[in-house]
Amino acid sequence: MRRRQFLAVGATATTVGTAGCFGDDGYPTETFEGTDVPLAPLEDVYEWYEDDDARFVDTRTQIEYDDLHIAGAVYSPAEHGLEADDPTEEWSTDARIVTYCICPHTLAGLRAASLIDDGYEDVYALDEGLQAWYEEGYPMEGEEVQGRLPAYDVRGEADPAHAGEFVWVREPETGQREPGTIEEDGSYELTLHFSELTEETVLELEAPDYTRELTLAELTDGVVTAE
């Protein structure tokens, strides 16, 4: 199988389409990079897990995967997996695959779309994300399996002309990143679940119309704007 060239996830790409359509399996779909991805609900995904009827793909970053992931999941980050020796390359194209992230499904949707484009025929993104799996007490592995998922809320405003596009927050040292979608009024909200942050950690926020470098304390204190 010929895999697509690895590309960095861009800050200004509009990848999420309108949800509400339904695929052949009855699940709602969302469009990522022009590809419709079915969003499978947690209840069904857990049933597949219990029946050993699906393979699981963590689409976040290596440090987040190492800290905490669904038991048995492989690491294959959004949007196109690893540049070499990606674990999904060994799987049959008719294997059932569930991708997940914690956003709850933007990174998962991007990775699912690239898998579908590469010829995998039975791919889903976990609709509610890893947070829901964690809160249900379902099987987890990792160095912080007994800990709690970190959560830092970010709110901001961008030009409403960019509604539907992404804002990205990144931790440059580890590559951790989280997207948020700009609403019709220009507002956006996202929750960071990054590992190993302090209030003084400097993060990069990139919106389509501005970029900011702020400490975690500054980023989570009030509404982020261009200035």
Side-chain angles (χ1 to χ4, degrees), residues 79-107:
E79 89 189 76
H80 299 295
L82 299 172
E83 293 185 74
D85 299 323
D86 191 277
T88 64
E89 293 178 337
E90 304 299 321
W91 297 348
S92 170
T93 56
D94 62 1
R96 176 178 283 162
I97 299 173
V98 177
T99 64
Y100 70 87
C101 61
I102 204 166
C103 15
H105 56 241
T106 302
L107 295 176

Side-chain angles (χ1 to χ4, degrees), residues 41-122:
L42 179 65
E43 181 180 3
D44 288 2
V45 170
Y46 182 63
E47 183 176 332
W48 297 341
Y49 182 90
E50 286 283 275
D51 293 342
D52 196 23
D53 195 25
R55 297 175 181 267
F56 287 77
V57 175
D58 193 306
T59 67
R60 301 171 298 154
T61 57
Q62 185 73 60
I63 187 172
E64 293 168 292
Y65 174 82
D66 290 343
D67 275 353
L68 204 64
H69 58 266
I70 291 176
V74 302
Y75 171 59
S76 180
E79 89 189 76
H80 299 295
L82 299 172
E83 293 185 74
D85 299 323
D86 191 277
T88 64
E89 293 178 337
E90 304 299 321
W91 297 348
S92 170
T93 56
D94 62 1
R96 176 178 283 162
I97 299 173
V98 177
T99 64
Y100 70 87
C101 61
I102 204 166
C103 15
H105 56 241
T106 302
L107 295 176
L110 289 167
R111 184 68 183 108
S114 67
L115 286 166
I116 292 169
D117 289 348
D118 282 341
Y120 294 90
E121 302 166 0
D122 197 18

Side-chain angles (χ1 to χ4, degrees), residues 181-211:
T181 304
I182 299 173
E183 302 297 335
E184 293 295 329
D185 62 357
S187 66
Y188 58 84
E189 297 183 5
L190 59 155
T191 300
L192 309 179
H193 298 278
F194 296 172
S195 300
E196 301 180 8
L197 297 187
T198 71
E199 290 193 348
E200 300 306 313
T201 301
V202 177
L203 302 169
E204 298 174 352
L205 183 146
E206 187 173 0
D209 52 335
Y210 65 86
T211 301

